[in-house]
Structures are given as C-alpha cells and as structure tokens.
Amino acid sequence: MTGLIEKDKIQKRRLPGRPKKTVSRSDFLMVRLTPTERVLIEGRAKRAGLKSSEWFRRAAKSAKVFPRFSVEETSWFRMLAGLANNLNQLTHLAHVAGLFSLALKCQALLKQIEELLTKINSHDR
C-alpha cells in the first residue's frame, strides 16, 4: 500500500520551471526603425500596457495597406510624363523657330494633358 501512495505523490508533483506555451513564436522578422519611430512605437505600447513586440504584432494584424497606385493610374502618370516631355521639346522648338508656328501643336498637347488630369482627378473620387 505504501508503494501506491508514493506513486500518487510522484505523479502529482509539478515539473520545475516555466510551463510550456501553447503557441511558440519561433520565427523572427527584423525591422529597421529610425530612433523617432522606435520612440513612437514604444510610447504607444507603453500607453496600451503592452510590450513593444506585442503592440507591433497586434498593429500589423489589424493594419490595412493600400497600394500607392493601381496599374491604370501608373500608366496615366507615365503618359503624363511623356506629354510633359513633349511639351518641353515644343517649348524649345518655339524658342528656335518662333512661337506662332507651334501654337496649334501646343494647344493640342495641352488639351491632352487636361483630359488626362481630368481622368486622374475623377478616378480619385
């Protein structure tokens, strides 16, 4: 009988050390911050009562990231840059050959630029 009692005592004994976590975080993600960004994040984490890493994890999970520009908008900006280049070339020719000979070309180019800017502005709304 004493053997059974001793066996029960051994089984009920807790293991030494910290209990194992249910979710282990084994992967690392290195992020470079400026000193200002680090102070900002640490301040927000402190106000939230969290460690910086936990605050960062929660913020990353709930963040919504939008692309800077869509493919269509990028093509518009390229077109606008090309039109600006053409306008620059026409301005140079106007100085060399005289402004009145290029007035119609300039007006047509300005109309294209205006249409493109209208498209870009209407797309933002």
Side-chain angles (χ1 to χ4, degrees), residues 9-90:
K9 285 183 182 178
I10 292 173
Q11 287 177 353
K12 289 183 182 179
R13 206 165 108 204
R14 289 189 350 185
L15 295 174
R18 185 176 186 172
K20 298 289 182 191
K21 292 184 177 182
T22 56
V23 176
S24 65
R25 292 189 169 96
S26 59
D27 292 341
F28 289 93
L29 175 65
M30 302 298 285
V31 179
R32 291 188 184 270
L33 302 170
T34 64
T36 307
E37 290 169 335
R38 183 179 180 135
V39 168
L40 178 73
I41 289 170
E42 287 174 346
R44 288 182 178 178
K46 188 175 181 179
R47 282 192 298 274
L50 300 170
K51 290 183 179 180
S52 299
S53 56
E54 181 61 27
W55 182 90
F56 207 83
R57 273 193 290 274
R58 289 185 186 186
K61 287 178 186 175
S62 64
K64 289 186 171 77
V65 180
F66 302 100
R68 288 179 62 177
F69 301 112
S70 69
V71 175
E72 185 180 21
E73 290 170 332
T74 304
S75 69
W76 291 344
F77 289 125
R78 276 202 190 107
M79 188 184 297
L80 189 59
L83 291 173
N85 189 26
N86 290 347
L87 186 59
N88 231 357
Q89 291 172 355
L90 287 174

Side-chain angles (χ1 to χ4, degrees), residues 73-117:
E73 290 170 332
T74 304
S75 69
W76 291 344
F77 289 125
R78 276 202 190 107
M79 188 184 297
L80 189 59
L83 291 173
N85 189 26
N86 290 347
L87 186 59
N88 231 357
Q89 291 172 355
L90 287 174
T91 303
H92 179 70
L93 283 173
H95 287 295
V96 173
L99 183 62
F100 295 112
S101 63
L102 298 173
L104 292 176
K105 289 183 182 179
C106 287
Q107 286 177 349
L109 189 58
L110 287 172
K111 185 177 179 189
Q112 282 182 318
I113 291 172
E114 186 177 324
E115 288 171 2
L116 188 57
L117 288 174

